[in-house]
Amino acid sequence: RSLTVATGELIGHTDRISGFAFCHCPGHGGLCASSSDDGSVRIWDSGTLSPVLEYSLHQNAISALHWSPLVKDLIVTGDEKGVIVCYWHNRNDSQQFFPEPRTVFCLTCSPHHENLVAIGYKDGMVVIIDISREREVVHRLRGHEDEIHGLAWCPVPGEERLPAWQDELQAPSEEGKVPNGEVTQDTATRKGCYLASGSKDQTIRIWSCTRGRSVMTLKLPPTKRRGGAVDPAVKERIWLTVHWPAGHPSDILSSAFGGELLLWNLTQPGKRKWTLLGSSEGQNHSRIVFNLSSVKHQDRELLFSISMDRDVKCWDLSTLDCSWTMPSLGGFVYSLAFSPVDTGCLAIGVGDSMIRVWNTLSINNIYDVKTFWQSIKSKVTALSWHPTKEGSLAFGTDDGKVGIFDTLSSSAKNKPPQISSTYHKKTVYTLAWGPPTPPLISGEESEQLSVTLYSCAGEGIVFQHNPWKLNGEANDINKVIRDTNSIKHKLPARTEVSWKPDGKLLALGNEDGSIEIFQAPNLKLLCTIQQHHKLINAIRWHHEHGTQPELSYLIASGSINATIYVHNLKSVVENSSENPLTITEPFRTLAGHTAKITSLSWSPHHEGRLVSACYDGTAEVWDVMKEEPLCNYRGHQGRLLSVQWSPVEPDCVYTGADDFSVHKWHISKQEHTRPPQGKKSIELEKKRSIQPKVKAKKKKKPVGKSPGKQDANDAMNGDESMKEMLLEENGVSDHEGEKEAQEAELADKVSVTVSRDTSSSACDYSSFSLPKPSVTQKAAPVKKDPPKEKPTPDASLKKRKPRSILPFSTLMDHRSKEELHQDCLRLAACLKTKDNEDMSSDLKDCIHLGLFTDRDSLHKMIDMEGKHHLENGHAELFQQLMLWKGDMKGVLQAAAERGQLTDQLVAMAPMVGYQAWVWTVEAFAKQLCFQEQYVKAASHLLSIHKVYEAIELLKVNNFYREAIVMAKARLRPEDPVLKELYTSWAALLEKDGHYSMAAKCYLGASSPYDAVKVLSKKGDVASLKTAAELALISGEEELSATLSLRCAQDLLLSRNWVGAQEVLQQHKTLFGQRLVFCLNELLCSCLSERNPCERKSPVPPCYHSWELNREAPFLDMVTQVWQNVLGMDTTEKATCAQEQLGRIEHPPSTSNTHPKQVLFHISHDLALAALSCHLGMWDEAVKSILGAVTRSFDAGNFTLMQEICSIILPEGCDDLRDKLDSTNSQSMDACRSLEGFVAYRQLYNLWWNSPKVSLGLQKAVLGPSVQTALEKSCVSGDPAPEETVQTTAEMDENLCSTTEVSKCETQSDSRTDSVDVADRQSTPKGCQVLLSEEMAALQNTQRDIAEVQETLAEMIRQHQQQRNNVQENTNGDSQGSNLDQSSETESDKPCSDSNQMNCKEEAKQPVTLPELTKQLLKAKQKLAEFPDNLKVFPFPDVLECCLVLLHLGSQCPPELQEEALALLRKHGGAGVYKKAGRRFLT
């Protein structure tokens, strides 16, 4: 079966979709209509995915929609208040009906009578209306007791079709003789038609339209869910939809409990008329089914069903079996995790509150997916499989819940997970299984605990949960960290947790960008990595299984900064010092992404391969050791949130994104290698921002901007200060309409409203979102009232008298004379009887006469007047009256209940008594809070001595400045509340990026350490400088030094050496670094003097104006500056500086290392060399100089290497060799290696500057020599620069004739050259050192090893690709396989020439795996036989030098040529040298 693929999206609605229908008229099948909670109906062209038109005729949320099957342009919709709208879109005409004032749940147009529409309501009523008549209702069908979920007309008209229902004596068997779908003439003349309805009351009814009554009732059977007991909380949840398939007029399909589907045979006698669809386990939906629809395809009738489990299923109605299932995701894909035990089992954590477990290796069903949803009820943001126990999957959610599912149990579909009783306050970011740490080690159950579960969440805390006792208390690991390392200052907020696979080291990523490495089990702090300076999103340890065990110490990390850093912690672990180290140098830097990194994954199949997922919308595969981007995947429409390398296929990666999808993609098939830069990433943003944003469900605090647009754009800057943004989807649910978390998970049922499901969680939702609006509605009049009060008197003075306080009785005394006379008589009569009884009963009709009688009557009159004032909205007059009456307490209570307290009322409150006054002030403060007048509320609380409450009120509403003033003025200076205010405000300011303000707060709270940390967060030069000074003032020496160094390095990048020295000079511990910076400055100025044209830079350099002794050798000149300017006047100082610098190890350079970085590292090596020379330690000096030379060489910068050699060793190495201790073999080896590189440089100088070499040749050789510098370092056993040699080989063939010709020319050409004659003669003699027999042999052996390893890798790759092709061909994807074959011979290296050649040779003579292994063993044994001193230091490629010497021709002494030829004959057997040396050897 070919895959079912989504063809596109219809984008435009801004709120939940409540209805959808296709047009079923011939020729218009592409048109469809949708209705939404945003109040609009849109018509679309599904072919072009474009909107056709839109209309909004409803005043309320639309709840149902249907496209008339008979009138091609009629769409009927119904809303929550009961209004039905018919809209004819061709003539833009509409008509409204209001048959019943009830909530519409569903409606459907009759397929036989174009004017009939059936409507189902929330309370169980079904109504049939005729839209062509004035009195529209044809029938009201009563019988159901609860909401109507579905209506279906019989596909065949007439009502004698199924006489068995009407208790007539006709045998049911005759029914079958009527051909399906054909209608006899007399039947059609009958008006009637049957209608089926399904309701929440668990019954289906069949109604007759002619008689308007029910003819059959079907009760849902209690189908026992396969797979165990039903969860009691879920038992009642039901959605009963009905469908009457066109080809089966005697059958009805319906949904049932859980996810079951039933087929009802209406002609079958007896009780049981139903059959269950799906014969075998796992065919049914796991949750309630919302919609059914059938279609005729070829000769089969297929049924489609869609459910709350978000699966689409296709059923064959002839067999009642499920043909296929297509899962879909209803949220962002936050987390991906492959099971370490059940290979290929991928868990997917999604924002629709469900976990999918996908068996990616399933052969017969590509979408073999299990869904888990019980007890989750929130976005799934983190997943982690137990390392050894199969099927144990830990999950974390957006609302801070941590739990464990057993994905294997037979009744898995219904077994709820275990939930930890310790909840996080915010989103769970990461889960990790790791060894137990205290206090779980010492407990009694520690024997059975091999691993425990660690969870890290948005509030910055890591909990350790005991998986055997999740109901127990989880432990905050910060406590152990504090105790073990006796830390006093505030610990940073944790954002990532990652255990080394062997369980010995724990890495914690922090919000301030630092990463801390702890040693198990007591979590002793080993080191802190200060590299990112922004919140850490991902940390991953390299796997353990590889040929190079030291790689398992690599740790890759990604943060909100776009750069990924890799650190090598081998030296840290082996370091024995007591104090934790600080690492500021990365081992490798992977730069290229343009937004924050969200996830990383190491390849389990390769060494040093990493894939990263990023907010720039792409995933990137890196070769870490070469710092090289290999492949970029751009298939997602959104920002990437998770990535996993396939554990089975080396060429496959899985990524999840906020476009609601998981993609599986092949590395070898991607066209891009680097992440998009500049324009492209902007286009990706645009593509994403076109998609409309859903309104925010709830905002954290009232914000004045529209939530949709602005927040969404902020989110895309990728530089938010909190990882939380990732999970809250920015408070704006980026087109992810996820109400599921709070709502009763009925979210995406077409035409369902929030209020429908009566299960508990639905109520929570409505109660959750309603109070806020209602509060503001109550508060609204209050806000408007006070301003109104003031102007009233002035305005009324001009216009009319003030409003009467007793208008009713005044009015009654201004009536006609007769009525007033009548009043007099009544009053007299009353007063006469007054002695006998209470007179108020006689004055029932004349309450206004209370003015003239007793107090009770007056009170009645006052109450009457007061009521009148309240009804007319004059609360203040009512309050005055009550004050007169003496009922002040009642006034206060009434005003408090209505939210109408005023300053005046509060001022009168003391009349009632102290308690009442306090109560009133509290009520007024509450009321002011509703009106968002928090400061005024706090002042009122202060007036009744509630100082702490007032401060808390201000704090909670972010009025920190005011709260601090109040606290400082009213509380004791040592009160902890004050400190807590400072630190909370600081945290908030820090989150919003106001770092200097946050620092002031920390200083106010007397924690300078935190002030320093927050100041340095921005990472620019000015901030770092201030932070360093602040740390120095606060006595944090070490921290200050670290920050100063960072600042100086940043200044160095902008070429400001003066500034860098100023920053460094405050610290004794950085004296060594000052020397390096000084040397770097002199080296840079020296280099720029030598090639003024080359080193143009937009920033002019800022040099010191030092007096330099230009005559002296470079290192001596540097030492003089150190002594004169930097004060290195004693040997102690020099020794101390040397020790400082010796402790720092820089990673080896690669061709991707930034040139300024390379120069700085070279300066470090040379500074060590100068110090060693100064102290007379010549053996060390040689090694340092060699380090500098090979570093420039490794970085692929041949010219830089030449410059360094000529600056440091203008006279060559003889002078140096004389000073060495000849008994120290290591320094002699280093010296020999250095001589080799000096000679190598001279050799190329000679060749390039010799008159006979054409310019093209120079370029041809220079190109590859730069390219291949990486491989030149023979230390690591990399192959020598074969490409260089190969180019030479190819050139040879082309240049052979021209060289001969040019030789003759040069002899007659006497032009002078940059290499002087004397030099030219001495050079070839110096080259003698390059022709080392044993070196050539060693390099050859190393080449053999590399070649065999490459062949092995190639074999594995081809085998893998063949397997892929076989799989793809079985899927019928032949095109893909051709692609593969064509790319098979290409290696994944950028320079694949040599590999192609090897492949060709291998094709002639295939090698078997055992032979290769044998060759590898043999070569390794041979390598072991070479003396170690040869392998320690790098050396130029001997055979390459031989070839260059031979190319020099007559300039090279014949004895050297002989020697070179001999070496080539002996060792040049490798293909590329054979080819290059062919001309000389034949």
Side-chain angles (χ1 to χ4, degrees):
R1 178 178 63 78
S2 64
L3 284 183
T4 313
V5 188
T7 55
E9 312 170 297
L10 302 175
I11 296 173
H13 283 300
T14 57
D15 209 337
R16 194 183 53 156
I17 311 296
S18 57
F20 184 88
F22 273 102
C23 174
H24 284 294
C25 294
H28 294 275
L31 286 181
C32 55
S34 59
S35 63
S36 161
D37 283 1
D38 61 18
S40 69
V41 176
R42 290 176 184 248
I43 299 177
W44 312 84
D45 180 338
S46 63
T48 61
L49 303 177
S50 56
V52 178
L53 66 90
E54 172 185 4
Y55 63 92
S56 301
L57 298 170
H58 286 276
Q59 307 300 310
N60 310 294
I62 304 170
S63 50
L65 167 145
H66 195 223
W67 197 309
S68 166
L70 297 176
V71 184
K72 70 177 180 194
D73 67 334
L74 168 60
I75 296 167
V76 184
T77 47
D79 67 28
E80 293 183 352
K81 291 285 188 285
V83 178
I84 306 292
V85 172
C86 297
Y87 181 79
W88 290 267
H89 68 86
N90 282 352
R91 56 176 199 259
N92 190 17
D93 183 15
S94 67
Q95 203 174 343
Q96 295 206 353
F97 300 96
F98 190 52
E100 288 287 331
R102 309 163 192 265
T103 300
V104 174
F105 242 53
C106 52
L107 58 79
T108 174
C109 304
S110 164
H112 311 299
H113 308 283
E114 62 179 46
N115 295 324
L116 289 191
V117 179
I119 305 158
Y121 290 95
K122 182 177 179 175
D123 58 1
M125 165 89 88
V126 178
V127 171
I128 297 175
I129 63 169
D130 182 336
I131 58 174
S132 63
R133 326 195 298 211
E134 194 64 25
R135 316 256 345 167
E136 69 264 21
V137 177
V138 182
H139 291 300
R140 285 189 172 78
L141 309 175
R142 292 184 175 84
H144 286 299
E145 285 144 32
D146 209 337
E147 41 199 61
I148 306 294
H149 289 166
L151 291 168
W153 292 93
C154 179
V156 177
E159 287 186 9
E160 301 101 88
R161 290 284 302 124
L162 305 174
W165 300 355
Q166 287 143 38
D167 309 324
E168 292 168 20
L169 299 171
Q170 195 172 347
S173 60
E174 289 189 17
E175 190 280 320
K177 294 178 187 168
V178 181
N180 281 353
E182 285 184 25
V183 186
T184 49
Q185 195 52 43
D186 58 303
T187 321
T189 55
R190 292 293 302 274
K191 260 295 210 264
C193 178
Y194 288 119
L195 174 71
S197 61
S199 159
K200 193 177 176 180
D201 65 12
Q202 305 182 11
T203 63
I204 298 167
R205 286 177 182 259
I206 313 288
W207 308 85
S208 150
C209 276
T210 43
R211 282 172 293 167
R213 71 177 188 81
S214 163
V215 293
M216 181 185 272
T217 303
L218 307 167
K219 184 101 177 77
L220 268 199
T223 53
K224 192 80 170 166
R225 298 282 314 277
R226 287 191 280 278
V230 177
D231 182 346
V234 187
K235 187 174 61 192
E236 282 310 299
R237 179 172 294 159
I238 180 173
W239 190 266
L240 181 46
T241 184
V242 289
H243 174 68
W244 210 321
H248 303 258
S250 61
D251 293 336
I252 282 187
L253 288 151
S254 82
S255 53
F257 296 101
E260 253 117 21
L261 296 178
L262 302 174
L263 176 79
W264 303 82
N265 181 349
L266 303 175
T267 56
Q268 192 164 318
K271 282 246 171 130
R272 179 172 167 147
K273 293 177 162 40
W274 54 271
T275 319
L276 203 55
L277 269 71
S279 52
S280 62
E281 166 67 74
Q283 287 202 12
N284 272 297
H285 287 287
S286 60
R287 305 175 82 174
I288 52 179
V289 174
F290 289 136
N291 261 327
L292 299 169
S293 171
S294 60
V295 65
K296 258 301 225 287
H297 180 62
Q298 290 154 359
D299 51 349
R300 300 188 301 164
E301 185 148 17
L302 301 177
L303 173 77
F304 290 90
S305 59
I306 191 161
S307 148
M308 198 163 148
D309 61 14
R310 295 191 177 269
D311 285 350
V312 179
K313 284 184 184 283
C314 171
W315 305 79
D316 186 336
L317 283 184
S318 53
T319 61
L320 299 190
D321 273 335
C322 177
S323 314
W324 52 262
T325 301
M326 188 174 79
S328 71
L329 307 179
F332 295 8
V333 180
Y334 289 112
S335 182
L336 294 172
F338 271 108
S339 167
V341 187
D342 181 3
T343 314
C345 189
L346 176 65
I348 306 169
V350 188
D352 59 10
S353 313
M354 294 194 269
I355 297 170
R356 318 295 198 287
V357 175
W358 177 15
N359 174 10
T360 59
L361 300 185
S362 172
I363 306 292
N364 43 10
N365 173 12
I366 192 150
Y367 289 127
D368 179 358
V369 175
K370 271 190 192 172
T371 305
F372 297 90
W373 51 272
Q374 289 88 345
S375 312
I376 297 179
K377 299 194 176 72
S378 179
K379 301 170 188 173
V380 180
T381 51
L383 293 171
S384 179
W385 291 95
H386 192 291
T388 52
K389 185 178 168 196
E390 192 175 0
S392 182
L393 175 64
F395 69 91
T397 69
D398 184 35
D399 58 5
K401 179 187 298 172
V402 174
I404 301 176
F405 268 106
D406 175 5
T407 62
L408 284 187
S409 70
S410 56
S411 59
K413 291 218 170 143
N414 285 300
K415 188 172 176 192
Q418 297 168 273
I419 303 283
S420 167
S421 62
T422 309
Y423 278 69
H424 284 281
K425 292 194 182 68
K426 291 193 180 165
T427 305
V428 178
Y429 292 155
T430 317
L431 294 169
W433 294 89
T437 54
L440 283 185
I441 294 181
S442 50
E444 306 89 65
E445 68 278 334
S446 57
E447 285 73 52
Q448 56 176 335
L449 270 183
S450 57
V451 285
T452 57
L453 179 61
Y454 294 81
S455 62
C456 173
E459 75 272 23
I461 288 176
V462 176
F463 281 130
Q464 174 183 216
H465 307 261
N466 179 346
W468 300 100
K469 270 202 191 149
L470 279 180
N471 54 359
E473 182 82 12
N475 309 301
D476 178 350
I477 68 167
N478 274 353
K479 186 177 179 319
V480 187
I481 292 173
R482 272 183 190 289
D483 295 349
T484 304
N485 302 290
S486 52
I487 295 174
K488 297 285 179 284
H489 59 78
K490 189 181 104 183
L491 289 173
R494 316 291 188 192
T495 56
E496 173 73 350
V497 53
S498 176
W499 277 95
K500 190 165 182 292
D502 62 8
K504 289 181 183 157
L505 299 180
L506 167 67
L508 290 183
N510 300 324
E511 196 189 322
D512 59 11
S514 61
I515 298 171
E516 293 173 321
I517 309 295
F518 299 92
Q519 192 166 25
N522 293 329
L523 303 187
K524 172 180 184 290
L525 179 59
L526 292 184
C527 76
T528 305
I529 302 172
Q530 296 283 3
Q531 203 76 58
H532 286 279
H533 318 308
K534 286 273 175 81
L535 182 140
I536 303 290
N537 278 329
I539 298 178
R540 301 288 183 274
W541 292 87
H542 193 285
H543 56 80
E544 308 260 296
H545 46 275
T547 54
Q548 298 168 286
E550 65 274 13
L551 288 184
S552 69
Y553 289 100
L554 292 191
I555 183 169
S557 52
S559 71
I560 286 180
N561 272 346
T563 310
I564 299 160
Y565 292 108
V566 180
H567 291 86
N568 186 350
L569 300 180
K570 192 170 191 326
S571 56
V572 173
V573 176
E574 290 163 359
N575 170 47
S576 54
S577 85
E578 273 309 297
N579 297 335
L581 306 172
T582 302
I583 297 182
T584 54
E585 286 288 335
F587 174 64
R588 293 287 186 267
T589 304
L590 310 176
H593 280 301
T594 52
K596 69 176 173 191
I597 308 297
T598 50
S599 183
L600 300 168
S601 177
W602 288 97
S603 160
H605 313 278
H606 310 81
E607 297 190 343
R609 284 279 160 94
L610 182 74
V611 60
S612 55
C614 176
Y615 252 36
D616 62 15
T618 69
E620 178 66 47
V621 178
W622 306 87
D623 180 329
V624 172
M625 300 312 278
K626 299 184 184 175
E627 300 185 324
E628 194 175 339
L630 298 178
C631 139
N632 183 254
Y633 176 70
R634 303 185 182 180
H636 281 283
Q637 293 288 315
R639 305 171 299 190
L640 273 69
L641 301 174
S642 48
V643 63
Q644 280 285 332
W645 204 298
S646 163
V648 189
E649 304 172 66
D651 193 39
C652 257
V653 174
Y654 292 78
T655 44
D658 68 4
D659 58 4
F660 292 45
S661 66
V662 174
H663 290 193
K664 169 187 176 182
W665 47 276
H666 292 268
I667 298 169
S668 54
K669 295 184 185 174
Q670 304 312 314
E671 48 180 308
H672 300 284
T673 52
R674 294 174 179 277
Q677 297 299 318
K679 255 191 199 158
K680 284 203 195 92
S681 60
I682 292 164
E683 279 162 25
L684 276 168
E685 292 300 359
K686 268 194 203 143
K687 189 161 73 174
R688 261 170 255 145
S689 58
I690 294 168
Q691 301 174 333
K693 306 288 174 251
V694 174
K695 287 177 200 155
K697 294 297 171 281
K698 59 178 197 292
K699 282 181 278 189
K700 283 281 167 67
K701 52 184 181 209
V703 184
K705 57 184 183 180
S706 77
K709 290 204 178 94
Q710 266 166 288
D711 284 21
N713 296 342
D714 297 349
M716 296 198 173
N717 296 341
D719 199 56
E720 307 87 343
S721 57
M722 274 304 287
K723 182 169 181 180
E724 210 171 313
M725 299 297 227
L726 181 154
L727 298 164
E728 279 178 8
E729 280 133 25
N730 223 19
V732 174
S733 230
D734 287 8
H735 65 280
E736 175 176 6
E738 287 188 12
K739 292 184 189 169
E740 292 90 20
Q742 302 95 343
E743 199 183 311
E745 301 186 39
L746 282 176
D748 269 67
K749 158 65 184 120
V750 178
S751 73
V752 177
T753 55
V754 178
S755 53
R756 279 182 206 171
D757 192 305
T758 55
S759 84
S760 57
S761 47
C763 310
D764 296 352
Y765 179 71
S766 30
S767 67
F768 186 72
S769 61
L770 285 175
K772 223 174 187 174
S774 57
V775 167
T776 42
Q777 282 156 14
K778 274 186 205 161
V782 185
K783 273 190 209 162
K784 290 175 195 156
D785 263 7
K788 265 191 209 160
E789 275 175 34
K790 288 173 193 162
T792 316
D794 317 343
S796 51
L797 282 175
K798 292 175 200 161
K799 292 178 188 165
R800 52 193 167 83
K801 288 186 301 194
R803 193 182 301 284
S804 164
I805 196 160
L806 298 166
F808 180 68
S809 54
T810 315
L811 181 75
M812 293 300 270
D813 291 339
H814 284 79
R815 289 175 305 165
S816 65
K817 208 175 266 182
E818 295 81 38
E819 286 171 304
L820 292 177
H821 291 167
Q822 203 62 42
D823 279 354
C824 294
L825 297 174
R826 267 202 190 157
L827 188 57
C830 275
L831 292 169
K832 181 85 184 120
T833 57
K834 130 181 180 184
D835 311 328
N836 313 349
E837 77 269 354
D838 171 25
M839 58 183 87
S840 54
S841 51
D842 304 343
L843 291 175
K844 252 206 314 275
D845 309 331
C846 320
I847 292 181
H848 63 289
L849 294 180
L851 190 61
F852 309 99
T853 54
D854 62 358
R855 182 182 284 181
D856 280 350
S857 312
L858 179 76
H859 279 181
K860 283 211 168 118
M861 181 183 117
I862 288 178
D863 290 343
M864 169 79 188
E865 293 278 11
K867 191 174 164 204
H868 189 258
H869 284 313
L870 277 182
E871 280 166 3
N872 291 328
H874 304 304
E876 67 285 356
L877 295 175
F878 163 74
Q879 288 157 4
Q880 277 184 49
L881 271 178
M882 292 298 129
L883 177 63
W884 293 2
K885 180 180 163 187
D887 181 15
M888 196 61 208
K889 194 170 183 182
V891 173
L892 293 173
Q893 273 173 342
E897 278 164 22
R898 285 200 183 77
Q900 292 174 346
L901 284 168
T902 60
D903 290 307
Q904 189 186 0
L905 281 178
V906 174
M908 291 179 188
M911 284 176 55
V912 188
Y914 179 76
Q915 286 316 113
W917 170 61
V918 170
W919 178 86
T920 310
V921 173
E922 282 180 336
F924 189 39
K926 256 185 211 150
Q927 178 186 313
L928 287 169
C929 288
F930 275 132
Q931 295 161 19
E932 296 182 10
Q933 300 183 40
Y934 303 111
V935 181
K936 186 175 175 185
S939 302
H940 274 282
L941 284 175
L942 214 53
S943 71
I944 53 171
H945 305 299
K946 300 216 163 189
V947 184
Y948 286 108
E949 287 85 342
I951 292 170
E952 183 62 22
L953 173 71
L954 289 172
K955 178 189 150 189
V956 168
N957 293 292
N958 289 349
F959 287 94
Y960 281 102
R961 197 181 289 274
E962 293 79 353
I964 289 173
V965 170
M966 195 181 279
K968 261 197 144 43
R970 287 298 191 98
L971 304 177
R972 298 189 321 284
E974 65 274 9
D975 196 308
V977 168
L978 192 56
K979 184 167 184 179
E980 211 267 327
L981 275 175
Y982 277 128
T983 47
S984 314
W985 192 21
L988 189 73
L989 289 164
E990 193 175 329
K991 195 171 163 182
D992 296 341
H994 305 306
Y995 296 134
S996 42
M997 191 67 204
K1000 283 196 272 188
C1001 286
Y1002 280 129
L1003 289 171
S1006 57
S1007 35
Y1009 181 85
D1010 296 315
V1012 173
K1013 292 289 268 194
V1014 76
L1015 262 184
S1016 62
K1017 215 165 179 184
K1018 189 145 193 257
D1020 60 331
V1021 172
S1023 306
L1024 288 172
K1025 203 167 173 180
T1026 315
E1029 283 179 36
L1030 180 56
L1032 203 58
I1033 295 168
S1034 318
E1036 297 280 356
E1037 286 278 341
E1038 198 178 330
L1039 184 61
S1040 177
T1042 313
L1043 293 169
S1044 299
L1045 184 56
R1046 253 178 76 192
C1047 180
Q1049 282 169 332
D1050 286 357
L1051 285 164
L1052 189 67
L1053 286 177
S1054 56
R1055 308 181 51 158
N1056 180 352
W1057 286 277
V1058 178
Q1061 286 290 356
E1062 277 170 16
V1063 172
L1064 293 174
Q1065 69 190 23
Q1066 303 169 339
H1067 301 282
K1068 282 204 183 77
T1069 51
L1070 296 180
F1071 182 66
Q1073 292 291 353
R1074 288 186 67 198
L1075 304 183
V1076 176
F1077 276 77
C1078 169
L1079 188 139
N1080 181 266
E1081 175 179 349
L1082 296 170
L1083 182 63
C1084 288
S1085 66
C1086 197
L1087 286 171
S1088 57
E1089 280 166 23
R1090 282 168 163 260
N1091 330 8
C1093 53
E1094 268 182 41
R1095 303 182 192 281
K1096 282 269 162 56
S1097 155
V1099 193
C1102 178
Y1103 292 126
H1104 286 88
S1105 51
W1106 291 323
E1107 284 183 24
L1108 303 175
N1109 175 8
R1110 300 275 180 184
E1111 304 304 310
F1114 181 75
L1115 291 183
D1116 294 358
M1117 173 179 88
V1118 171
T1119 317
Q1120 281 174 14
V1121 174
W1122 287 351
Q1123 288 171 329
N1124 302 341
V1125 182
L1126 301 187
M1128 188 186 81
D1129 38 18
T1130 62
T1131 318
E1132 286 76 50
K1133 273 194 178 173
T1135 317
C1136 175
Q1138 189 183 26
E1139 278 171 11
Q1140 281 175 18
L1141 294 178
R1143 284 199 288 272
I1144 301 169
E1145 274 186 42
H1146 291 298
S1149 301
T1150 68
S1151 53
N1152 288 313
T1153 314
H1154 191 284
K1156 283 185 182 164
Q1157 184 97 16
V1158 176
L1159 256 180
F1160 182 69
H1161 290 169
I1162 287 174
S1163 307
H1164 185 276
D1165 294 333
L1166 291 178
L1168 272 171
L1171 282 167
S1172 304
C1173 293
H1174 179 64
L1175 295 167
M1177 301 160 70
W1178 297 99
D1179 298 341
E1180 292 302 316
V1182 170
K1183 289 181 201 166
S1184 302
I1185 295 174
L1186 177 63
V1189 171
T1190 51
R1191 187 179 290 283
S1192 54
F1193 187 62
D1194 291 348
N1197 197 334
F1198 189 78
T1199 21
L1200 179 63
M1201 186 196 101
Q1202 287 185 304
E1203 295 289 359
I1204 292 208
C1205 287
S1206 64
I1207 290 174
I1208 307 296
L1209 302 167
E1211 306 293 322
C1213 306
D1214 301 344
D1215 196 25
L1216 202 63
R1217 181 179 274 278
D1218 300 340
K1219 295 180 181 165
L1220 293 179
D1221 171 6
S1222 53
T1223 57
N1224 182 338
S1225 63
Q1226 208 180 7
S1227 56
M1228 294 313 279
D1229 291 336
C1231 185
R1232 186 186 57 193
S1233 187
L1234 188 56
E1235 282 171 349
F1237 278 106
V1238 172
Y1240 181 68
R1241 166 222 158 204
Q1242 288 172 334
L1243 181 65
Y1244 267 100
N1245 251 1
L1246 188 63
W1247 186 28
W1248 287 344
N1249 295 322
S1250 67
K1252 66 164 192 177
V1253 176
S1254 65
L1255 194 63
L1257 187 59
Q1258 279 191 38
K1259 281 185 183 156
V1261 177
L1262 183 59
S1265 83
V1266 172
Q1267 269 179 16
T1268 61
L1270 208 152
E1271 275 119 15
K1272 285 189 181 162
S1273 156
C1274 302
V1275 187
S1276 52
D1278 286 345
E1282 297 176 355
E1283 285 84 344
T1284 314
V1285 178
Q1286 193 183 329
T1287 346
T1288 330
E1290 283 159 12
M1291 274 168 3
D1292 263 5
E1293 294 169 14
N1294 312 338
L1295 290 180
C1296 196
S1297 49
T1298 46
T1299 320
E1300 298 306 322
V1301 177
S1302 60
K1303 210 185 267 181
C1304 316
E1305 286 172 13
T1306 40
Q1307 282 156 4
S1308 62
D1309 183 2
S1310 62
R1311 68 195 167 93
T1312 54
D1313 211 284
S1314 61
V1315 181
D1316 58 79
V1317 184
D1319 202 25
R1320 194 172 282 180
Q1321 280 148 13
S1322 67
T1323 304
K1325 295 190 186 75
C1327 295
Q1328 182 72 47
V1329 70
L1330 288 171
L1331 304 180
S1332 155
E1333 163 81 37
E1334 45 187 2
M1335 263 302 170
L1338 172 68
Q1339 287 171 354
N1340 238 3
T1341 311
Q1342 288 169 334
R1343 252 192 300 274
D1344 291 345
I1345 291 176
E1347 213 166 277
V1348 173
Q1349 284 173 337
E1350 205 155 291
T1351 314
L1352 269 171
E1354 185 62 27
M1355 278 174 81
I1356 293 168
R1357 225 171 59 84
Q1358 288 185 353
H1359 173 67
Q1360 190 61 44
Q1361 228 141 14
Q1362 282 160 0
R1363 260 182 55 193
N1364 287 358
N1365 293 348
V1366 171
Q1367 280 177 6
E1368 279 174 20
N1369 292 341
T1370 53
N1371 293 342
D1373 183 0
S1374 53
Q1375 185 188 355
S1377 59
N1378 296 348
L1379 261 174
D1380 268 7
Q1381 285 156 8
S1382 66
S1383 69
E1384 236 172 61
T1385 47
E1386 284 174 33
S1387 155
D1388 39 4
K1389 277 198 182 176
C1391 286
S1392 60
D1393 311 348
S1394 58
N1395 303 345
Q1396 271 178 332
M1397 207 169 93
N1398 295 352
C1399 293
K1400 282 175 204 155
E1401 287 178 15
E1402 275 156 30
K1404 291 174 206 161
Q1405 27 183 296
V1407 194
T1408 61
L1409 192 62
E1411 273 176 47
L1412 273 178
T1413 328
K1414 206 154 137 198
Q1415 282 178 24
L1416 188 61
L1417 249 158
K1418 208 160 141 196
K1420 285 199 170 167
Q1421 281 167 351
K1422 199 167 160 195
L1423 183 66
E1425 287 163 14
F1426 285 97
D1428 285 346
N1429 63 347
L1430 286 182
K1431 302 176 202 168
V1432 179
F1433 298 106
F1435 198 82
D1437 186 334
V1438 177
L1439 295 182
E1440 180 192 343
C1441 298
C1442 293
L1443 283 168
V1444 177
L1445 272 172
L1446 291 169
H1447 269 280
L1448 282 172
S1450 60
Q1451 284 176 301
C1452 176
E1455 62 275 14
L1456 268 184
Q1457 284 196 351
E1458 282 305 310
E1459 206 172 322
L1461 269 173
L1463 277 173
L1464 260 183
R1465 279 203 190 88
K1466 185 167 179 188
H1467 298 290
V1472 68
Y1473 290 102
K1474 213 178 211 163
K1475 189 173 171 189
R1478 196 179 302 157
R1479 165 179 149 206
F1480 301 108
L1481 296 173
T1482 50

